[in-house]
Amino acid sequence: MPEVVFPLDSRKKFTEQPIVGHNRWHPDVPAQVRVRPGDVFRVDCREWFDGAIRNDDSADDILNAPLASVHVLSGPIHVEGVEPGDLLIVDIVDVGPIPQEDSGPLAGQGWGYTGVFATRNGGGFLTEQFPDAYKVIWDFQGGVATSRHVPHVSFTGIVHPGLMGTAPSAELLRTWNAREQALIDTDPHRVPALALPPNPDSAVLGNLTGAEFDRVAAEGARTAPPRENGGNQDIKNLTKGSRVFYPVFVDGAKLSMGDLHFSQGDGEITFCGAIEMGGFMDVHVDVIKGGMSKYGVSENAIFMPGRSDPQYSEWLAFSGTSVTLDGEQRYLDSHLSYQRACMHAIDYLQQFGYSAIQAYMILGAAPIEGRLSGVVDIPNSCSTVYLPTEIFDFDVRPGKDGPTAIDPGQGVPVARA
Ligand code: ZN
């Protein structure tokens, strides 16, 4: 096993660990770990809510999920000799849940969860259809996820980090905060919010203290969106074997990671939305000097996905177009057409006996494929969502005898907002 440079005790809170990570992006969060190009090392990662979500049959914890506290990230890690303008090479050598024998009461490690936030607490992709808080617990065994809340479905994990990235420069941070505030200003009271501005409440900034802590907490960018530094990209294909090339904006790159997922569908449509878990990552780092200009990579990270995907070969696909549920025609709106494709799949699965929220949870957690199938055929974009048929223990395909009735079991815990 590689040296553990960022250890976490899963029985303790994030702020009580020997090395304290962070939950805001800022160039002045101090690096507490130093590695060299060529090194292979292990980083433990807390699940993104630091143990606030429990393995039980109530969604009260999701209803009151402390969004200001996310994401608890492991890092920053300073890579010696790496400078602004370089590309940082990050190989995901291995990634997985914390071994079950190590799990404490706060861990979440032979299990994980998928949540849907209430509209007033973040919402989600289909928040108009699902305004309350919902939670599903998934159990992991032999690399496969099953749930007492969503029976008749099981699938192989596609384990990946939801979030990994380098620190922004002071200038880039100012750009982020200005452009996101300008968006918020277009509709400042919208529920859910258009974006999340800096918020000192619940900020964790490594070992910073005093006035420096206050300054960085007031300026630090929230970790929810992906940006030029990578960040919360939620790309399910960043499995082990992946190689990512991150733009570098500060000395040492200041690499951070977290938000591990046991599985996720394209789009992470449920928002709390993959199967969230804590775990470990084994990482190899290297550098391409001057790589940002050599390869024209300044917009965001580029990557070569790993090959350890579950092997599903049979699919049932649903399409949607950019027309609202009220029948209003929108112009090539791929976000809307993906919503309609997903709603289409949810309607279909309900014919077998699933509740709408059970179907929504399957789309968020299982390795579904989402595609922008057509983006030019005015006025309708066409988005598609592909369900692997082999994850169901009944025949989910249409046939002449009509849908098989399944027992939906106890269903999904809900907390009314
Ligand atoms: Zn996540």
Side-chain angles (χ1 to χ4, degrees), residues 33-55:
V33 176
R34 298 179 90 84
V35 299
R36 278 189 292 271
D39 284 354
V40 177
F41 51 91
R42 175 166 291 196
V43 177
D44 290 340
C45 297
R46 289 288 275 154
E47 62 86 19
W48 75 309
F49 272 118
D50 191 25
I53 311 303
R54 293 175 299 274
N55 184 349

Side-chain angles (χ1 to χ4, degrees), residues 259 261 268 276:
D259 187 28
H261 298 158
E268 204 194 18
E276 306 290 341

Side-chain angles (χ1 to χ4, degrees), residues 50 143 174 219 229 249 286 303 313:
D50 191 25
R174 275 193 296 275
E219 296 171 355
N229 66 330
F249 306 103
D286 212 331
F303 65 98
S313 56

Side-chain angles (χ1 to χ4, degrees), residues 48 71 162 232 234 259-261 264 268 271-276:
W48 75 309
H71 298 71
N232 194 26
D234 289 316
D259 187 28
L260 300 189
H261 298 158
Q264 185 203 291
E268 204 194 18
F271 189 11
C272 184
I275 301 184
E276 306 290 341

